Amino acid sequence: MENIVVTWRAVKFMAELPGAFSVHREVATAAAVAVLLGVIAAILCARLRRDARWPIIATIGLLALMSLQAFAGFRSLTALHVPLGVFTITLAIAFAAWTWVRSPQPAAG
């Protein structure tokens, strides 16, 4: 029931602000570009620094999740679009926080 209320409030908010949908679309595009750059960075770190490969899979998964969310938004499936957005943002924040919180490991050699 709470998801329905949150979804309704988000749609009402977006409908009342002129230009809100175009701003929302532009911010979403910038977020997708940022995640795509994250995929590239993860690949470079794995190749050049021999870091773990799981961040590649994680960022590709995040990009896929964002694509699903965009599809739901284009189809006006707000009951799916809004919760996926909240989940995606939470996951992205968790990834970013992990990079700052994890303890650095000394270089081998």
Side-chain angles (χ1 to χ4, degrees):
M1 181 63 174
E2 185 176 333
N3 276 346
I4 294 170
V5 172
V6 169
T7 301
W8 177 81
R9 288 177 68 189
V11 170
K12 186 173 178 353
F13 173 75
M14 293 289 283
E16 290 176 353
L17 291 176
F21 282 112
S22 61
V23 171
H24 181 69
R25 184 181 59 243
E26 295 303 323
V27 170
T29 300
V33 169
V35 173
L36 187 56
L37 290 174
V39 171
I40 294 167
I43 291 169
L44 289 174
C45 284
R47 296 283 240 152
L48 301 176
R49 294 180 42 187
R50 303 217 192 297
D51 282 351
R53 295 191 184 274
W54 71 262
I56 299 170
I57 296 166
T59 52
I60 289 172
L62 189 61
L63 191 60
L65 191 61
M66 290 176 73
S67 298
L68 177 62
Q69 185 205 8
F71 174 78
F74 285 125
R75 292 291 187 172
S76 297
L77 302 171
T78 53
L80 178 61
H81 178 74
V82 173
L84 271 178
V86 171
F87 180 69
T88 302
I89 291 168
T90 303
L91 196 57
I93 290 170
F95 283 153
W98 177 82
T99 62
W100 287 97
V101 174
R102 74 179 180 139
S103 59
Q105 298 176 2

